[in-house]
Amino acid sequence: MKFRFPIGWRAAVLLLATPATPFAEPLGSAIAYQGRLTDGGAPANGTYEFRFTLFDAAVAGSKIGVTRTNAPVVVTDGVFTTAIDFGTGVFAGESRWLEVAVRTNGSAAAFTGLAPRQA
């Protein structure tokens, strides 16, 4: 006995098996960074400016690429999320460490570095 699938079933399988890559958007170079910020030992709230710099070492080392400053970044109950785009070519397989510095949004004060650098 021979079993035959309806024609519509074959069409459905063909559609499911077709790769979607021709319609995929190219990936950009931005990364999402989420962190916790405290102010005086309590979770921070408000808007802040964050400065991000890549290095090739956990301490000292050489700066990689350009420094990025994101502002305003909303911090709620100490939690924030922001996108960082160092461009292409900075993540080519070598280890990198992210140095983060922060200040209140719109402040003329110097940035306060957060330690340690993040691998």
Side-chain angles (χ1 to χ4, degrees), residues 26-89:
L27 293 176
S29 56
I31 60 172
Y33 183 81
Q34 184 177 57
R36 288 189 146 289
L37 181 66
T38 59
D39 187 2
N45 285 290
T47 55
Y48 292 84
E49 295 179 25
F50 287 85
R51 186 179 65 197
F52 300 97
T53 309
L54 277 181
F55 287 88
D56 63 0
V59 177
S62 298
K63 179 180 149 189
I64 305 296
V66 296
T67 297
R68 295 291 182 203
T69 301
N70 291 9
V73 176
V74 176
V75 180
T76 305
D77 293 328
V79 178
F80 67 92
T81 303
T82 190
I84 312 168
D85 192 348
F86 290 107
T88 59

Coordinates of all heavy atoms in Angstrom, one line a residue, residues 26-89:
P26 N 21.3 42.8 8.4 CA 22.7 42.6 8.8 C 22.8 43.1 10.3 O 22.2 44.0 10.7 CB 23.5 43.5 7.9 CG 22.5 44.5 7.3 CD 21.2 43.8 7.3
L27 N 23.7 42.4 11.0 CA 24.0 42.8 12.4 C 24.8 44.1 12.4 O 25.7 44.2 11.7 CB 24.7 41.7 13.1 CG 23.9 40.4 13.3 CD1 24.8 39.4 14.0 CD2 22.6 40.7 14.2
G28 N 24.5 45.0 13.4 CA 25.3 46.2 13.5 C 26.4 45.9 14.5 O 26.6 44.8 15.0
S29 N 27.1 46.9 14.9 CA 28.3 46.7 15.8 C 27.9 47.2 17.2 O 28.8 47.1 18.1 CB 29.5 47.5 15.3 OG 29.1 48.9 15.1
A30 N 26.7 47.6 17.5 CA 26.3 48.1 18.8 C 26.1 46.9 19.7 O 25.7 45.8 19.3 CB 25.1 48.9 18.7
I31 N 26.4 47.0 21.0 CA 26.1 46.0 22.0 C 25.2 46.7 23.1 O 25.3 47.9 23.3 CB 27.4 45.5 22.7 CG1 28.2 46.6 23.3 CG2 28.3 44.7 21.7 CD1 29.4 46.1 24.2
A32 N 24.4 45.8 23.7 CA 23.6 46.3 24.8 C 24.4 46.1 26.1 O 24.9 45.0 26.3 CB 22.3 45.6 24.8
Y33 N 24.4 47.1 26.9 CA 25.1 47.0 28.2 C 24.1 47.3 29.3 O 23.4 48.4 29.3 CB 26.3 48.0 28.3 CG 27.1 47.9 29.5 CD1 28.0 46.9 29.7 CD2 26.9 48.8 30.6 CE1 28.8 46.8 30.8 CE2 27.6 48.7 31.7 CZ 28.6 47.7 31.9 OH 29.3 47.6 33.0
Q34 N 24.0 46.4 30.3 CA 23.1 46.6 31.4 C 23.9 46.6 32.7 O 24.8 45.7 32.8 CB 22.0 45.6 31.4 CG 21.0 45.8 32.6 CD 19.9 44.8 32.6 OE1 20.1 43.6 32.6 NE2 18.7 45.3 32.4
G35 N 23.7 47.4 33.6 CA 24.4 47.5 34.9 C 23.6 48.0 36.0 O 22.4 48.3 35.9
R36 N 24.3 48.0 37.2 CA 23.7 48.5 38.4 C 24.5 49.7 38.9 O 25.8 49.6 38.8 CB 23.6 47.4 39.5 CG 22.6 46.4 39.3 CD 22.6 45.5 40.6 NE 21.3 45.0 40.8 CZ 20.2 45.7 41.2 NH1 20.3 46.9 41.4 NH2 19.0 45.1 41.4
L37 N 23.9 50.7 39.3 CA 24.6 51.9 39.8 C 24.0 52.3 41.2 O 22.8 52.3 41.4 CB 24.4 53.1 38.8 CG 25.0 54.4 39.2 CD1 26.6 54.2 39.1 CD2 24.6 55.5 38.2
T38 N 25.0 52.5 42.1 CA 24.5 52.9 43.4 C 25.1 54.3 43.7 O 26.1 54.7 43.1 CB 25.1 52.0 44.6 OG1 26.5 51.9 44.5 CG2 24.5 50.6 44.4
D39 N 24.4 55.1 44.5 CA 24.8 56.4 44.9 C 24.7 56.5 46.4 O 23.6 56.4 47.0 CB 23.9 57.4 44.2 CG 24.3 58.9 44.4 OD1 25.4 59.1 45.0 OD2 23.6 59.8 43.9
G40 N 25.9 56.6 47.0 CA 25.9 56.7 48.5 C 25.4 55.3 49.1 O 24.9 55.4 50.2
G41 N 25.6 54.2 48.4 CA 25.3 52.9 49.0 C 23.8 52.5 48.7 O 23.5 51.4 48.9
A42 N 23.0 53.4 48.1 CA 21.6 53.1 47.8 C 21.5 53.0 46.2 O 22.3 53.7 45.5 CB 20.7 54.2 48.3
P43 N 20.5 52.3 45.7 CA 20.3 52.2 44.3 C 20.0 53.6 43.7 O 19.3 54.4 44.3 CB 19.1 51.4 44.1 CG 19.0 50.5 45.4 CD 19.6 51.4 46.5
A44 N 20.7 54.0 42.7 CA 20.6 55.3 42.1 C 19.3 55.4 41.3 O 18.8 54.4 40.8 CB 21.8 55.5 41.1
N45 N 18.8 56.6 41.2 CA 17.6 57.0 40.4 C 17.9 58.3 39.7 O 18.4 59.2 40.3 CB 16.4 57.1 41.3 CG 15.9 55.7 41.7 OD1 15.3 54.9 40.9 ND2 16.0 55.4 43.0
G46 N 17.5 58.4 38.5 CA 17.6 59.7 37.8 C 18.3 59.4 36.4 O 18.3 58.3 35.9
T47 N 18.8 60.5 35.8 CA 19.5 60.4 34.6 C 21.0 60.7 34.8 O 21.4 61.6 35.5 CB 18.9 61.4 33.5 OG1 19.0 62.7 34.1 CG2 17.5 61.1 33.2
Y48 N 21.8 59.9 34.1 CA 23.2 60.0 34.2 C 23.9 60.0 32.9 O 23.3 59.6 31.9 CB 23.8 58.8 35.0 CG 23.3 58.9 36.5 CD1 22.1 58.4 36.9 CD2 24.2 59.4 37.5 CE1 21.7 58.5 38.2 CE2 23.8 59.4 38.8 CZ 22.5 59.0 39.2 OH 22.1 59.0 40.5
E49 N 25.2 60.4 32.8 CA 26.0 60.3 31.6 C 27.0 59.2 31.9 O 27.6 59.1 33.0 CB 26.8 61.6 31.4 CG 25.9 62.8 31.0 CD 26.6 64.0 30.8 OE1 27.9 64.0 30.4 OE2 26.1 65.1 31.0
F50 N 27.2 58.3 31.0 CA 28.1 57.2 31.1 C 29.2 57.3 30.0 O 28.8 57.6 28.8 CB 27.4 55.8 30.9 CG 26.6 55.5 32.1 CD1 25.3 55.9 32.3 CD2 27.1 54.7 33.1 CE1 24.5 55.6 33.4 CE2 26.4 54.3 34.2 CZ 25.1 54.8 34.4
R51 N 30.4 57.1 30.4 CA 31.5 57.2 29.4 C 32.1 55.8 29.4 O 32.5 55.2 30.4 CB 32.6 58.2 29.9 CG 33.7 58.3 28.9 CD 34.7 59.4 29.3 NE 35.4 58.8 30.5 CZ 36.1 59.6 31.4 NH1 36.2 60.8 31.2 NH2 36.6 59.0 32.4
F52 N 32.3 55.2 28.2 CA 32.7 53.9 28.0 C 34.0 53.9 27.1 O 34.0 54.5 26.1 CB 31.7 53.0 27.2 CG 30.4 52.9 28.0 CD1 29.3 53.8 27.6 CD2 30.2 52.0 29.0 CE1 28.1 53.7 28.3 CE2 29.0 51.9 29.6 CZ 27.9 52.8 29.3
T53 N 35.1 53.2 27.6 CA 36.3 53.1 26.9 C 36.8 51.7 27.0 O 36.7 51.0 28.0 CB 37.4 54.0 27.6 OG1 36.9 55.3 27.8 CG2 38.7 54.1 26.8
L54 N 37.2 51.2 25.8 CA 37.8 49.8 25.7 C 39.3 49.8 25.9 O 40.0 50.7 25.4 CB 37.5 49.2 24.3 CG 36.1 48.6 24.1 CD1 36.0 48.0 22.7 CD2 35.8 47.5 25.1
F55 N 39.8 48.8 26.5 CA 41.2 48.6 26.7 C 41.6 47.1 26.4 O 40.8 46.2 26.4 CB 41.6 48.9 28.2 CG 41.6 50.4 28.5 CD1 40.5 51.0 28.9 CD2 42.7 51.2 28.3 CE1 40.4 52.3 29.2 CE2 42.7 52.5 28.6 CZ 41.5 53.1 29.0
D56 N 42.9 46.9 26.2 CA 43.4 45.6 25.9 C 43.9 44.9 27.1 O 44.5 43.8 27.0 CB 44.5 45.6 24.8 CG 45.7 46.4 25.1 OD1 45.8 47.0 26.3 OD2 46.6 46.5 24.3
A57 N 43.7 45.5 28.3 CA 44.2 44.9 29.6 C 43.3 45.3 30.7 O 42.6 46.3 30.6 CB 45.6 45.3 29.8
A58 N 43.3 44.5 31.7 CA 42.4 44.8 32.9 C 42.9 46.0 33.7 O 42.1 46.7 34.3 CB 42.4 43.5 33.8
V59 N 44.2 46.2 33.7 CA 44.8 47.4 34.3 C 45.8 48.0 33.3 O 46.6 47.2 32.6 CB 45.6 47.0 35.6 CG1 46.3 48.1 36.3 CG2 44.6 46.3 36.6
A60 N 45.9 49.3 33.3 CA 46.8 50.0 32.3 C 46.4 49.6 30.9 O 45.3 49.6 30.5 CB 48.2 49.8 32.7
G61 N 47.4 49.1 30.1 CA 47.1 48.7 28.7 C 46.9 49.9 27.8 O 47.0 51.0 28.1
S62 N 46.5 49.5 26.6 CA 46.2 50.5 25.5 C 44.7 50.7 25.3 O 44.0 49.7 25.3 CB 46.9 50.1 24.2 OG 48.3 50.0 24.4
K63 N 44.3 51.9 25.0 CA 43.0 52.2 24.6 C 42.7 51.6 23.2 O 43.5 51.7 22.4 CB 42.7 53.7 24.7 CG 41.4 54.1 24.3 CD 41.2 55.6 24.4 CE 40.2 56.1 23.4 NZ 40.2 57.5 23.2
I64 N 41.5 51.0 23.1 CA 41.1 50.5 21.8 C 39.9 51.3 21.2 O 38.9 51.4 21.9 CB 40.7 49.0 21.9 CG1 41.8 48.1 22.6 CG2 40.3 48.4 20.6 CD1 43.1 48.0 21.8
G65 N 40.1 51.8 20.0 CA 39.0 52.5 19.4 C 38.7 53.9 20.1 O 39.6 54.4 20.7
V66 N 37.5 54.3 20.0 CA 37.1 55.6 20.5 C 36.3 55.5 21.8 O 35.7 54.5 22.0 CB 36.3 56.5 19.4 CG1 37.1 56.7 18.2 CG2 35.0 55.7 19.1
T67 N 36.4 56.5 22.6 CA 35.6 56.6 23.8 C 34.2 57.0 23.5 O 34.0 57.9 22.6 CB 36.2 57.6 24.8 OG1 37.5 57.0 25.2 CG2 35.4 57.7 26.1
R68 N 33.2 56.4 24.0 CA 31.8 56.7 23.8 C 31.2 57.3 25.0 O 31.4 56.7 26.1 CB 31.0 55.5 23.3 CG 31.5 54.9 22.0 CD 31.1 55.9 20.9 NE 31.5 55.3 19.6 CZ 31.7 56.1 18.6 NH1 31.5 57.4 18.6 NH2 32.0 55.5 17.4
T69 N 30.4 58.3 24.9 CA 29.6 58.9 26.0 C 28.1 58.8 25.7 O 27.7 59.3 24.6 CB 30.0 60.3 26.3 OG1 31.4 60.4 26.6 CG2 29.2 60.9 27.5
N70 N 27.4 58.2 26.6 CA 25.9 58.1 26.4 C 25.2 58.9 27.4 O 25.5 58.8 28.6 CB 25.5 56.6 26.5 CG 25.9 55.7 25.4 OD1 26.8 56.1 24.6 ND2 25.5 54.5 25.4
A71 N 24.3 59.8 26.9 CA 23.6 60.7 27.8 C 22.3 61.1 27.1 O 22.3 61.3 25.9 CB 24.4 61.9 28.2
P72 N 21.2 61.3 27.8 CA 21.0 60.8 29.2 C 20.6 59.4 29.2 O 20.0 58.8 28.3 CB 19.8 61.7 29.6 CG 19.0 61.9 28.4 CD 20.0 62.0 27.3
V73 N 21.1 58.7 30.2 CA 20.7 57.3 30.5 C 19.9 57.3 31.8 O 20.3 57.8 32.8 CB 22.0 56.4 30.7 CG1 21.6 55.0 31.0 CG2 22.9 56.4 29.4
V74 N 18.7 56.7 31.7 CA 17.8 56.6 32.8 C 18.2 55.5 33.7 O 18.4 54.3 33.2 CB 16.3 56.5 32.3 CG1 15.4 56.3 33.5 CG2 15.9 57.7 31.5
V75 N 18.3 55.7 35.0 CA 18.6 54.7 36.0 C 17.4 54.6 36.9 O 17.1 55.7 37.5 CB 19.9 55.1 36.8 CG1 20.2 54.0 37.8 CG2 21.1 55.2 35.8
T76 N 16.9 53.5 37.1 CA 15.7 53.3 37.9 C 16.0 52.1 38.9 O 16.3 51.0 38.5 CB 14.5 52.9 37.1 OG1 14.3 53.9 36.1 CG2 13.2 52.8 38.0
D77 N 15.9 52.4 40.2 CA 16.2 51.5 41.2 C 17.6 50.9 41.0 O 17.8 49.7 41.3 CB 15.1 50.4 41.3 CG 13.8 50.9 41.8 OD1 13.8 51.9 42.6 OD2 12.8 50.4 41.4
G78 N 18.5 51.7 40.5 CA 19.9 51.2 40.3 C 20.2 50.5 39.0 O 21.3 50.3 38.7
V79 N 19.2 50.2 38.2 CA 19.4 49.4 37.0 C 19.3 50.4 35.8 O 18.4 51.2 35.7 CB 18.3 48.3 36.9 CG1 18.5 47.6 35.6 CG2 18.4 47.4 38.1
F80 N 20.2 50.2 34.8 CA 20.2 50.9 33.6 C 20.6 50.0 32.4 O 21.2 49.0 32.6 CB 21.2 52.1 33.6 CG 22.6 51.7 33.7 CD1 23.4 51.6 32.6 CD2 23.2 51.5 34.9 CE1 24.7 51.2 32.6 CE2 24.5 51.1 35.0 CZ 25.3 51.0 33.8
T81 N 20.1 50.4 31.2 CA 20.5 49.7 30.0 C 20.8 50.7 29.0 O 20.0 51.7 28.8 CB 19.4 48.7 29.5 OG1 19.1 47.8 30.5 CG2 19.8 48.0 28.3
T82 N 21.9 50.5 28.2 CA 22.2 51.5 27.2 C 23.0 50.7 26.1 O 23.5 49.7 26.3 CB 23.1 52.7 27.7 OG1 23.2 53.7 26.7 CG2 24.4 52.2 28.2
A83 N 22.9 51.3 24.9 CA 23.7 50.7 23.7 C 25.0 51.4 23.6 O 25.1 52.6 23.8 CB 22.9 50.8 22.5
I84 N 26.0 50.6 23.3 CA 27.4 51.1 23.1 C 27.8 50.6 21.7 O 27.7 49.5 21.4 CB 28.4 50.6 24.1 CG1 27.8 50.8 25.5 CG2 29.7 51.4 24.0 CD1 28.7 50.0 26.6
D85 N 28.3 51.5 20.9 CA 28.8 51.2 19.6 C 30.2 51.7 19.4 O 30.5 52.9 19.2 CB 27.9 51.8 18.5 CG 28.1 51.2 17.1 OD1 29.2 50.5 16.9 OD2 27.3 51.4 16.2
F86 N 31.2 50.8 19.5 CA 32.6 51.1 19.3 C 33.0 51.0 17.8 O 34.1 51.2 17.4 CB 33.5 50.2 20.1 CG 33.4 50.5 21.6 CD1 32.7 49.6 22.4 CD2 33.9 51.6 22.1 CE1 32.6 49.9 23.8 CE2 33.8 51.9 23.5 CZ 33.2 51.0 24.3
G87 N 32.0 50.6 16.9 CA 32.3 50.5 15.5 C 32.8 49.0 15.2 O 32.9 48.2 16.1
T88 N 33.2 48.8 14.0 CA 33.6 47.5 13.6 C 35.1 47.3 13.8 O 35.9 48.3 13.8 CB 33.3 47.3 12.1 OG1 34.0 48.3 11.3 CG2 31.8 47.3 11.8
G89 N 35.6 46.1 14.0 CA 37.0 45.8 14.1 C 37.6 45.8 15.4 O 38.7 45.4 15.6

